[in-house]
């Protein structure tokens, strides 16, 4: 069974429809394989490596993209190519389990998305691709536990914000050594900024990406980072996007700078950016973009231990507020009505012990003003307070809600309060805002704490704040979550040692988080 995107389709496809398309075109695939053998492809078609994602109890998405010249459009001939995929129970493929064929089509950047089903739950598998006599690197993935299995452990890594120009993606080397079952990436996979001569590394191209080819080149550059490539090949990712995958601080169909991007121009940019995102991510056919729209909010269950709700906090939101009154306006929305109801249904209908919410932007309050009064960052949930507070009110009736966020380039770990305007308000959950993989680069920790520690009195819900680069690691069991803030010594060098900055614990049945 393989996920095949049929030519010319510009609407959402279900995984089932993709599978039917694969089966129906089996003879064509075999014939295509014979033709492809007569016309060899350029060397190095697997330059971007392999990846897997969105694990189910019986399946997982396998990904690659054929790109012998990745920074110049890919370098592939303008024709469809048949790619064989293989999955095995061992890394040397002595116990091959399944194989099949999938199209790599030029209209989708010669990317390959294979939605493999019929696998056994809660176990590792190894996979690879082959075409034109070339064999891809081997990847390892893992399926989720069965639906009604309580499960005793899930190791999850939280990552976000990897800016090529600010540093190397060295935290992934430590993450690889920690061997997580799944990696949750909550946004800013690429940055759309122009090349900078002063960066640790330089973006390709001559300016910001706007066209499909430009976005493809930018994603391809990021995919060449050896640490990121190795982590993708070692564990399944669950991904969602934030703003820099398209345009800084965009909201719905509104760009950061409306005076410089007309509605039609920005719609074209969204169309290009979303397609390139799909082409480079291990996601199912439900994420095939429909012009300037893409569906990314979805739900994954890991037995009865964890339910993971993945949000989209960009596509459906109102434009950012510009005042405190605007931030408190009940008419403003972060999620949109349909996605909000989807989330509430998933939370209240959950049988899982832990209900995780992957939210690209910070949910807990950040009061930037020292002393009386408040000053908020309006792009985060602080700019959408009525909806945020209504959601937090629902948390009281949800089993162990924990929010996983990114965006801030800081570690900010907090209790979630029913109403941050009321100091005596009840704690209803916990939030881990992961620091960045590289965005912001190496920072002065002393200067940071001199500035930010003065704000702790106005933000008593904060448990840990820090400005090192790294990621968060979670060991989730029925009784509790043990979390580590893992930080790299530097991201200005291609290799770096890492260490645990802080350990935290969330106890089942007791909302909030405490430092160990």
């Amino acid at each position: 069974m393989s996920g095949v995107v049929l030519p010319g389709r510009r609407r959402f496809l279900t995984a089932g429809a993709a599978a039917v398309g694969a089966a129906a075109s089996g003879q064509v695939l075999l014939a295509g394989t014979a033709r492809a053998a007569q016309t060899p492809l350029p060397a190095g078609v697997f330059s971007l490596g392999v990846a897997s994602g969105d694990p189910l109890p019986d399946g997982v998405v396998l990904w690659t993209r054929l790109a012998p010249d990745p920074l110049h459009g890919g370098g592939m001939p303008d024709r469809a190519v048949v790619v064989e995929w293989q999955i095995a129970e061992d890394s040397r493929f002595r116990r091959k389990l399944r194989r099949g064929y999938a199209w790599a089509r030029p209209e989708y950047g010669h990317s390959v998305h294979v939605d493999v089903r019929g696998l056994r739950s809660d176990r590792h598998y190894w996979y690879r691709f082959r075409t034109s006599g070339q064999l891809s690197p081997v990847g390892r993935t893992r399926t989720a536990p069965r639906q009604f299995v309580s499960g005793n452990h899930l190791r999850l890594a939280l990552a976000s914000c990897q800016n090529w120009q600010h540093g190397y993606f060295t935290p992934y080397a430590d993450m690889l050594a920690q061997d997580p079952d799944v990696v949750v990436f909550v946004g800013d996979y690429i940055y759309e900024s122009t090349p900078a001569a002063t960066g640790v590394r330089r973006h390709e191209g001559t300016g910001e990406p706007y066209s499909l080819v430009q976005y493809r080149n930018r994603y391809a550059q990021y995919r060449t980072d050896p640490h990121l490539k190795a982590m993708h090949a070692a564990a399944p990712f669950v991904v969602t996007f934030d703003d820099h995958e398209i345009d800084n601080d965009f909201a719905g169909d509104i760009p950061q700078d409306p005076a410089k991007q007309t509605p039609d121009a920005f719609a074209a940019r969204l169309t290009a950016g979303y397609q390139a995102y799909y082409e480079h991510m291990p996601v199912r056919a439900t994420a095939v973009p429909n012009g300037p729209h893409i569906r990314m909010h979805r739900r994954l269950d890991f037995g009865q231990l964890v339910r993971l709700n993945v949000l989209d906090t960009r596509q459906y939101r109102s434009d950012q507020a510009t005042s405190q009154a605007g931030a408190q306006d009940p008419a403003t929305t972060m999620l949109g009505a349909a996605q909000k109801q989807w989330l509430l249904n998933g939370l209240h209908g959950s049988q899982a012990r832990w209900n995780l919410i992957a939210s690209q932007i910070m949910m807990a309050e950040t009061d930037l003003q020292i002393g009386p009064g408040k000053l908020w960052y309006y792009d985060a949930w602080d700019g959408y307070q009525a909806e945020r507070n209504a959601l937090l009110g629902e948390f009281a009736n949800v089993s162990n809600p924990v929010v996983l966020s990114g965006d801030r380039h800081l570690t900010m770990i907090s209790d979630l309060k029913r109403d941050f305007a009321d100091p005596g308000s009840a704690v209803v959950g916990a939030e881990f805002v992961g620091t960045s993989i590289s965005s912001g680069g190496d920072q002065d920790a002393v200067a940071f704490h001199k500035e930010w520690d003065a704000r702790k009195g106005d933000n008593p819900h904060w448990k840990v704040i820090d400005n090192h680069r790294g990621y968060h690691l979670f060991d989730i069991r029925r009784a509790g979550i043990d979390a580590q803030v893992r930080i790299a010594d530097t991201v200005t060098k291609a290799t770096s040692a890492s260490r645990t900055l802080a350990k935290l614990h969330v106890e089942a049945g007791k909302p909030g988080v405490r430092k160990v």
Side-chain angles (χ1 to χ4, degrees):
M1 174 187 212
S2 85
V4 174
V5 179
L6 299 178
R9 299 188 71 174
R10 301 296 300 161
R11 61 182 178 84
F12 294 130
L13 300 175
T14 65
V20 170
S25 58
Q27 296 300 319
V28 177
L29 287 171
L30 292 174
T33 303
R35 287 195 299 270
Q38 298 172 8
T39 310
L41 298 175
V45 293
F46 295 110
S47 65
L48 303 182
V50 299
S52 68
D54 282 9
L56 300 174
D58 69 337
V60 70
V61 177
L62 308 181
W63 173 93
T64 193
R65 180 187 166 210
L66 309 183
D69 190 6
L71 303 190
H72 301 91
M76 286 289 291
D78 188 20
R79 62 178 172 85
V81 174
V82 173
V83 179
E84 180 187 0
W85 57 268
Q86 303 172 356
I87 192 163
E89 296 178 319
D90 68 300
S91 60
R92 295 187 177 184
F93 288 76
R94 291 172 177 169
R95 299 190 303 276
K96 292 186 180 70
L97 185 68
R98 303 279 300 281
R99 73 169 188 158
Y101 299 90
W103 284 113
R105 294 187 175 277
E107 56 265 39
Y108 288 97
H110 289 98
S111 62
V112 177
H113 298 76
V114 182
D115 191 354
V116 181
R117 300 295 177 94
L119 303 177
R120 298 180 67 179
S121 64
D122 199 18
R123 63 176 53 212
H124 283 115
Y125 290 95
W126 286 260
Y127 62 95
R128 64 189 180 187
F129 300 88
R130 184 196 304 270
T131 190
S132 192
Q134 300 182 51
L135 198 62
S136 77
V138 173
R140 186 187 71 161
T141 191
R142 188 182 182 96
T143 52
R146 293 194 308 274
Q147 180 179 2
F148 298 111
V149 172
S150 59
N152 59 6
H153 182 224
L154 180 72
R155 172 163 274 205
L156 182 151
L158 171 66
S160 65
C161 304
Q162 49 193 30
N163 191 315
W164 179 272
Q165 300 194 134
H166 290 179
Y168 297 94
F169 300 163
T170 51
Y172 283 121
D174 181 71
M175 186 189 293
L176 183 68
Q178 300 298 327
D179 196 22
D181 299 316
V182 64
V183 179
V184 176
F185 192 95
V186 290
D188 294 344
Y189 192 95
I190 64 162
Y191 279 73
E192 86 292 10
S193 49
T194 59
T198 58
V200 177
R201 301 187 286 186
R202 186 182 177 90
H203 273 152
E204 54 72 42
T206 58
E208 291 190 21
Y210 290 89
S211 70
L212 177 56
V213 170
Q214 289 173 323
Y215 275 109
R216 283 173 175 166
N217 291 343
R218 186 61 56 89
Y219 274 101
Q221 182 180 45
Y222 277 59
R223 280 285 195 166
T224 62
D225 181 275
H227 298 302
L228 176 60
K229 190 184 296 186
M231 195 63 241
H232 268 300
F237 274 54
V238 176
V239 299
T240 188
F241 61 85
D242 193 22
D243 54 341
H244 288 289
E245 286 88 349
I246 303 293
D247 184 31
N248 181 51
D249 285 353
F250 84 94
D253 59 359
I254 303 171
Q256 180 187 29
D257 48 2
K260 297 180 181 179
Q261 298 185 71
T262 66
D264 286 347
F266 192 61
R269 190 178 193 183
L270 287 168
T271 299
Y274 287 151
Q275 179 166 335
Y277 183 81
Y278 167 76
E279 290 173 354
H280 289 84
M281 295 298 135
V283 292
R284 290 192 163 81
T286 49
V288 174
N290 179 16
H293 303 286
I294 185 172
R295 169 143 184 171
M296 287 303 296
H297 63 282
R298 60 205 189 280
R299 185 175 298 122
L300 296 164
D301 289 321
F302 297 83
Q304 289 189 326
L305 182 65
V306 169
R307 167 163 284 187
L308 175 62
N309 301 277
V310 182
L311 300 186
D312 174 352
T313 59
R314 284 291 159 191
Q315 247 184 132
Y316 309 106
R317 65 158 68 190
S318 308
D319 199 6
Q320 290 91 343
T322 57
S323 66
Q324 290 191 335
Q328 296 171 320
D329 184 352
T332 60
T333 180
M334 176 72 77
L335 302 177
Q339 184 181 194
K340 180 182 178 181
Q341 190 59 54
W342 167 88
L343 174 60
L344 293 176
N345 291 344
L347 292 173
H348 292 308
S350 174
Q351 300 299 312
R353 180 73 160 182
W354 297 94
N355 287 279
L356 308 185
I357 300 172
S359 167
Q360 294 88 330
I361 42 81
M362 186 170 177
M363 188 170 287
E365 181 176 79
T366 300
D367 181 5
L368 297 169
Q369 183 164 313
I370 299 171
K374 290 184 181 289
L375 178 62
W376 298 308
Y377 175 51
Y378 296 134
D379 187 60
W381 278 94
D382 278 339
Y384 302 78
Q385 292 186 25
E387 188 169 85
R388 189 262 311 273
N389 291 345
L391 180 58
L392 291 175
E394 300 282 351
F395 278 13
N397 298 313
V398 173
S399 174
N400 300 309
V402 177
V403 177
L404 309 178
S405 307
D407 180 60
R408 301 301 296 272
H409 308 170
L410 302 173
T411 287
M412 304 188 83
I413 299 172
S414 309
D415 286 341
L416 290 173
K417 309 273 286 184
R418 170 65 183 83
D419 182 358
F420 286 101
D422 177 7
S425 182
V427 175
V428 295
E431 180 178 34
F432 292 81
V433 178
T435 182
S436 67
I437 291 293
S438 67
S439 301
D442 292 345
Q443 295 285 307
D444 184 336
V446 174
F448 169 80
H449 284 288
K450 183 178 180 180
E451 176 187 357
W452 283 82
D453 285 357
R455 298 186 172 106
K456 287 182 176 179
D458 298 283
N459 297 274
H461 48 281
W462 290 351
K463 300 301 178 73
V464 175
I465 58 171
D466 185 75
N467 68 336
H468 286 86
R469 309 283 70 85
Y471 68 99
H472 292 182
L473 184 67
F474 303 88
D475 285 293
I476 307 173
R477 297 177 175 85
R478 288 190 62 79
I481 297 177
D482 291 306
Q484 300 179 54
V485 178
R486 298 286 297 174
I487 60 171
D489 289 344
T490 181
V491 293
T492 62
K493 299 178 180 179
T495 60
S496 171
S498 292
R499 58 188 172 90
T500 297
L501 174 78
K503 294 183 178 181
L504 300 104
H505 184 75
V506 182
E507 185 175 347
K510 294 186 178 180
V513 57
R514 64 178 176 86
K515 191 173 180 181
V516 177

